[in-house]
Amino acid sequence: MKTLREFEAWFVTGSQHLYGMEVLKKVEEHSIEIAKAFDASSIIPVKIVFKPVVKTPEEIYQVCVAANSTPNCIGIITWMHTFSPAKMWIAGLKTLNKPILHLHTQFNQDIPFSEIDMDFMNLNQSAHGGREYGFMMTRMRLERKVVVGHWQDKEVQKRIGVWMRVASAWLDAQSVKIARIGDNMRQVAVTEGDKVEAQLKFGWSVNTYGLEDVLQHVNAATEIEIDALVAKYESQYQMDASYRKGGANFKAVREAARIEIGLRSFLEEGGFSGFTDTFENLGSLIQLPGIAVQRLMKDGYGFGAEGDWKTAAMLRAMKVMAVGLPGGNSFMEDYTYHFNPTRMFELGAHMLEICESIADGKPSLEVHPLGIGGKADPARLCFNVAAGPAINVSLLDMGSRFRLLVNKVDVINPIEMPKLPVARVLWAPQPNLKIASAAWIYAGGAHHSCFSQNITTEYITDFAEMAGIEIVIIDKETKINELKKELRWNDMYYHLAKGL
């Protein structure tokens, strides 16, 4: 997926017949102008489709039904230009199953103090029209995003753009298929989860496939295909002579290419958006997939190691949200701490499978022993990650509900680790390593996560609200005692909310 312009959001303005045709004509003119401006904005990632002003319960109901049945419609943006009695919206809102954004704006930025009259007041009633509409959605307990401010304000457009990216990922999720190649790593708790409930909540279809299903594709890879892919490796990555033709590790590189070709073919044929594997189930694979997984993630596939399908599916969602944005998103694992009192931070990595989209500079293709899995030395991309803001996201099955856990982190400048031949990143979690780690553990956070350089907590909050699940954020304001209270309150709320 190279662009989100294949998706569209509908711009729907609410009014009523009370004001007469002259006012309604102006309402439509203003609505068309806003919709066109949004569609032309570089901040708005999807196509904006203007819909005629809705003035009756029947018109509202019909536009909501039409949105539901339009495959590429990610949701609707609603604006109350005038007063639109909210009882008119009940049937439509009850029917709508797409995300909704309430834009609380007005056409004019300023009050024209020297010219304002009752005609102006009758036309520009967003201030109380939006409150009437907002009451009804609150009364109906509908999740939505409320964005307040003038429609030309870049910050307003940015927040709308965030919602659109998340709504695009939500629409994508409804057809996501995750292939579990083999089962979970044995005896591990956090990678387990209720796959039926996940499909009900998120739309993800998660099923298991035997390794032999993949091996058929791996074994079918031709020498011509392998030659072509190895040539790509040589042009895209740093490679010393031992990894090139005639070198001691050239055979391992070709085997890695064979695995990538076969794995990609399996995923494409099955229409999958993500996958998992586990080093406990490699069968006749000669090496654990390394560079194959890294490159597939860069191309938009979600991935989770050790059978972690929740992380694979969540990473896919974040990949869709981030289409066209600078920076990357990757499967990640907390590995080891730096508890030095002068500055504490953490090393994130994995055995092999870190997405090259987060690499700082040109990755190096290398072959080294793995020390786990009992297979031949695998090829992988090694690199550091540049300093800057990021987040780690963990999706958890708490037994009675799903929880999204987010920690804001500050990636620090790389430190040379010449004997560690993996992709790696160093970060200082907010508010600090001690509090963040304790908070993560109290919240049940996994050792696997989705690391992102371009997705913020606002995106993940929007996603959690679309799914109707819990979200817990660890940032500079986090205090352990307050977080423990929040977790207890959430336990009670989500227990009671099942009956609402």
Side-chain angles (χ1 to χ4, degrees):
M1 186 179 296
K2 296 183 179 180
T3 175
L4 297 180
R5 291 291 290 182
E6 63 190 73
F7 297 128
E8 60 186 41
W10 291 5
F11 191 82
V12 179
T13 305
S15 188
Q16 59 177 327
H17 283 297
L18 177 67
Y19 306 109
M21 291 305 299
E22 185 175 345
V23 168
L24 288 175
K25 183 179 178 182
K26 276 291 182 186
V27 168
E28 182 164 289
E29 289 175 359
H30 291 171
S31 300
I32 291 173
E33 185 172 340
I34 294 174
K36 285 183 176 179
F38 283 173
D39 191 55
S41 172
S42 61
I43 304 173
I44 304 293
V46 309
K47 183 179 179 182
I48 302 296
V49 176
F50 167 79
K51 291 295 175 180
V53 177
V54 291
K55 307 167 290 296
T56 66
E58 292 75 22
E59 291 175 352
I60 294 168
Y61 177 79
Q62 289 302 324
V63 78
C64 290
V65 169
N68 288 344
S69 59
T70 302
N72 64 333
C73 175
I74 63 168
I76 65 173
I77 302 170
T78 52
W79 172 43
M80 303 304 112
H81 191 314
T82 63
F83 196 79
S84 181
K87 287 171 65 176
M88 296 198 307
W89 286 84
I90 293 175
L93 292 176
K94 284 175 64 178
T95 301
L96 185 68
N97 60 23
K98 297 283 180 78
I100 188 166
L101 182 143
H102 177 187
L103 176 59
H104 192 53
T105 190
Q106 59 188 30
F107 185 73
N108 56 296
Q109 177 181 275
D110 304 320
I111 296 174
F113 294 106
S114 62
E115 300 176 7
I116 189 169
D117 55 18
M118 286 310 300
D119 287 339
F120 183 93
M121 296 280 277
N122 284 332
L123 174 61
N124 298 283
Q125 298 187 46
S126 298
H128 70 285
R131 283 167 165 78
E132 163 77 358
Y133 175 64
F135 163 77
M136 184 52 66
M137 286 198 284
T138 297
R139 171 71 185 270
M140 296 173 70
R141 296 190 175 91
L142 295 178
E143 291 290 356
R144 77 280 194 189
K145 183 167 188 172
V146 179
V147 177
V148 180
H150 193 252
W151 55 277
Q152 291 177 319
D153 184 343
K154 297 302 181 185
E155 181 61 29
V156 167
Q157 292 186 15
K158 181 180 177 181
R159 294 198 65 212
I160 294 171
V162 168
W163 173 84
M164 289 176 171
R165 289 180 172 279
V166 177
S168 297
W170 184 252
L171 183 62
D172 177 77
Q174 307 317 300
S175 58
V176 157
K177 294 168 61 180
I178 302 295
R180 297 173 66 236
I181 302 169
D183 205 347
N184 297 63
M185 181 179 173
R186 292 185 283 277
Q187 306 298 338
V188 176
V190 77
T191 56
E192 298 287 351
D194 188 334
K195 296 187 288 294
V196 174
E197 188 64 18
Q199 190 161 357
L200 289 170
K201 278 291 183 184
F202 306 105
W204 301 330
S205 174
V206 183
N207 290 293
T208 301
Y209 295 82
L211 185 63
E212 62 273 12
D213 296 319
V214 178
L215 286 171
Q216 291 177 10
H217 292 264
V218 172
N219 294 334
T222 67
E223 294 302 305
I224 294 175
E225 290 173 320
I226 295 171
D227 289 341
L229 185 53
V230 169
K232 283 186 179 180
Y233 291 169
E234 292 176 347
S235 66
Q236 294 176 9
Y237 310 117
Q238 299 180 53
M239 295 173 61
D240 68 32
S242 71
Y243 307 123
R244 297 175 182 271
K245 189 172 183 179
N249 290 301
F250 184 64
K251 184 178 180 181
V253 173
R254 288 186 62 81
E255 188 58 36
R258 182 190 304 277
I259 292 172
E260 179 183 340
I261 292 165
L263 189 50
R264 189 180 295 272
S265 173
F266 166 77
L267 295 172
E268 290 175 350
E269 183 179 281
F272 299 110
S273 303
F275 65 103
T276 70
D277 63 15
T278 172
F279 62 83
E280 290 181 328
N281 181 29
L282 294 177
S284 60
L285 279 178
I286 293 175
Q287 55 179 260
L288 176 66
I291 188 174
V293 174
Q294 294 175 292
R295 287 170 51 84
L296 285 163
M297 275 193 284
K298 184 184 180 184
D299 291 343
Y301 287 95
F303 172 76
E306 289 93 55
D308 189 354
W309 56 268
K310 299 189 300 299
T311 299
M314 191 65 214
L315 180 60
R316 164 64 182 190
M318 292 168 65
K319 290 279 189 182
V320 176
M321 295 177 203
V323 167
L325 296 178
N329 295 267
S330 179
F331 170 75
M332 186 58 66
E333 181 169 272
D334 302 76
Y335 243 97
T336 191
Y337 295 132
H338 188 70
F339 274 134
N340 191 300
T342 59
R343 188 177 191 188
M344 296 186 184
F345 51 83
E346 185 171 348
L347 169 63
H350 202 254
M351 295 182 296
L352 304 174
E353 308 98 333
I354 300 297
C355 179
E356 65 170 300
S357 67
I358 65 172
D360 181 20
K362 194 173 185 178
S364 172
L365 193 158
E366 302 178 22
V367 177
H368 298 279
L370 187 60
I372 194 169
K375 292 292 182 176
D377 299 348
R380 83 291 301 268
L381 299 176
C382 299
F383 53 82
N384 291 309
V385 177
I391 61 172
N392 277 316
V393 180
S394 180
L395 179 62
L396 311 163
D397 186 339
M398 304 306 296
S400 60
R401 66 186 185 278
F402 288 102
R403 169 183 290 165
L404 266 171
L405 180 59
V406 186
N407 187 195
K408 290 185 177 181
V409 303
D410 298 300
V411 177
I412 68 173
N413 287 319
I415 298 173
E416 287 303 313
M417 292 173 271
K419 295 183 179 181
L420 184 64
V422 296
R424 61 280 183 109
V425 55
L426 299 173
W427 68 74
Q430 297 181 14
N432 59 56
L433 179 59
K434 289 183 178 180
I435 292 175
S437 297
W440 190 269
I441 289 169
Y442 276 120
H447 58 289
H448 289 167
S449 61
C450 302
F451 173 89
S452 179
Q453 297 168 315
N454 48 32
I455 299 300
T456 66
T457 55
E458 184 177 6
Y459 290 81
I460 306 304
T461 300
D462 285 356
F463 186 85
E465 290 176 349
M466 287 180 193
I469 66 170
E470 178 188 10
I471 182 167
V472 176
I473 297 173
I474 303 169
D475 58 16
K476 289 181 179 179
E477 307 303 317
T478 296
K479 295 178 175 60
I480 292 298
N481 286 340
E482 295 303 313
L483 179 116
K484 290 166 75 173
K485 291 177 186 177
E486 178 184 351
L487 296 175
R488 293 187 186 109
W489 294 336
N490 287 359
D491 281 341
M492 182 63 70
Y493 168 78
Y494 284 97
H495 175 72
L496 295 175
K498 290 182 178 180
L500 297 179

